[in-house]
């Protein structure tokens, strides 16, 4: 299976909003929701442009994960990039129809090879998001612990699980 990572562009807005709308309920089972306003065109477009500006300033990179046909399968983002230290934090989400098929693992592996200047990457996921935990672990991320802060989502108490990836290049 050949997938690609494409840096977020202005002309991705419509397709990305549709992807987010289609997968909203699925995502909100595992991560805190973004609120109703996020899914309104004007708000989404404003937020999309803010992300592009943020990406321009080099503090982060936002990628779309594309399937072999060029459809958006998910998103994978690097934030809080410190070029001098070679550190960042990663976050990702796959659409419901792409889970369990290797897309997440392959996308993260591709990101790690693309972003070869990074020496350490932090990640976190919720305690209920076992599939994201597996993706991280398959790609060499080490479980660092579970946060003390508990929160409730969808009537279930959970915490954040923290991970760290360290480049094996010396």
């Amino acid at each position: 299976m050949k997938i690609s990572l494409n840096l977020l562009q202005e002309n991705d807005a419509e397709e990305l909003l549709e992807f987010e709308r289609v997968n909203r309920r699925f995502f909100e089972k595992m991560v805190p929701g973004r609120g109703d306003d996020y899914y309104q065109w004007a708000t989404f477009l404003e937020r999309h442009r803010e992300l592009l500006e943020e990406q321009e300033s080099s503090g982060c990179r936002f990628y779309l994960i594309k399937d072999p046909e060029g459809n958006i399968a998910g998103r994978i983002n690097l934030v809080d990039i410190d070029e001098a230290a070679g550190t960042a934090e990663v976050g990702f989400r796959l659409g419901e129809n792409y889970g369990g098929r290797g897309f997440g693992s392959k996308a993260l592996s591709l990101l790690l090879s693309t972003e070869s200047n990074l020496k350490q990457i932090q990640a976190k996921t919720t305690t209920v998001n076992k599939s994201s935990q597996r993706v991280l672990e398959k790609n060499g991320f080490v479980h660092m612990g579970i946060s003390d802060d508990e929160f409730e989502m969808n009537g279930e108490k959970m915490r954040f699980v923290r991970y760290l990836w360290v480049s094996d290049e010396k």
Side-chain angles (χ1 to χ4, degrees), residues 114-157:
T114 301
E115 298 285 347
S116 58
N117 59 324
L118 293 174
K119 294 172 182 34
Q120 288 190 354
I121 302 175
Q122 295 181 30
K124 69 180 178 185
T125 185
T126 55
T127 47
V128 297
N129 196 342
K130 303 295 184 199
S131 58
S132 285
Q133 292 170 34
R134 281 191 300 276
V135 166
L136 291 165
E137 290 167 5
K138 274 178 90 170
N139 280 279
F141 281 73
V142 176
H143 181 270
M144 299 302 289
I146 299 175
S147 69
D148 292 333
D149 298 331
E150 191 173 68
F151 60 95
E152 189 171 318
M153 192 174 73
N154 302 323
E156 189 172 349
K157 292 189 185 213

